[in-house]
Amino acid sequence: MRPGPGEYPVDADLARVSSLGVKGTATIFIRGAIRMLELRPNCECCNRDLPPDSVAARICSFECTFCADCTDGVLDGRCPNCGGELVRRPVRPAEKLAQFPASTVRNLRAGGCVRA
């Protein structure tokens, strides 16, 4: 199955996607739906808003989401959920948000975050 311009397979058992419309991306193979970052809307520690274009958002490999202030401060660069490294979350291009919107589900750690 080969998608045409602007078409994205979402139900194919095994789909070949050539570029996802992003210049320079490699061919990838996926099973089922196209997977992308959720772009969660807030810091799990302080509940700060982190819109999709925020350069202050940090994520771990499980996509736990925190703001730069909490990451650099109380969390010391480590996810309190998994212990993984927190890195800058990429910004999804605005023209892709209509087709691939950011999550609206807010996650908040009970009691916020404390230094370990």
Side-chain angles (χ1 to χ4, degrees), residues 13-114:
D13 180 44
L14 180 63
R16 181 174 183 261
V17 180
S18 296
S19 77
L20 297 178
V22 180
K23 184 178 180 181
T25 55
T27 297
I28 58 172
F29 291 88
I30 58 173
R31 289 203 180 277
I34 290 176
R35 302 290 177 153
M36 71 226 37
L37 293 175
E38 291 180 23
L39 302 180
R40 296 176 184 171
N42 66 301
C43 174
E44 292 182 28
C45 283
C46 69
N47 206 28
R48 174 182 173 183
D49 288 337
L50 296 170
D53 62 350
S54 176
V55 295
R58 304 291 185 263
I59 60 173
C60 71
S61 65
F62 291 99
E63 207 178 341
C64 301
T65 303
F66 303 94
C67 69
D69 291 340
C70 289
T71 295
D72 296 340
V74 69
L75 299 178
D76 199 27
R78 293 282 165 202
C79 177
N81 301 321
C82 71
E85 178 184 18
L86 292 169
V87 298
R88 185 177 170 272
R89 180 182 74 190
V91 172
R92 183 165 301 150
E95 64 273 9
K96 298 293 182 190
L97 283 171
Q99 187 171 8
F100 303 105
S103 173
T104 58
V105 177
R106 298 179 79 85
N107 296 318
L108 189 61
R109 289 176 55 86
C113 295
V114 294

Side-chain angles (χ1 to χ4, degrees), residues 1-13:
M1 174 179 173
R2 186 175 185 140
E7 295 177 3
Y8 300 90
V10 292
D11 294 319
D13 180 44

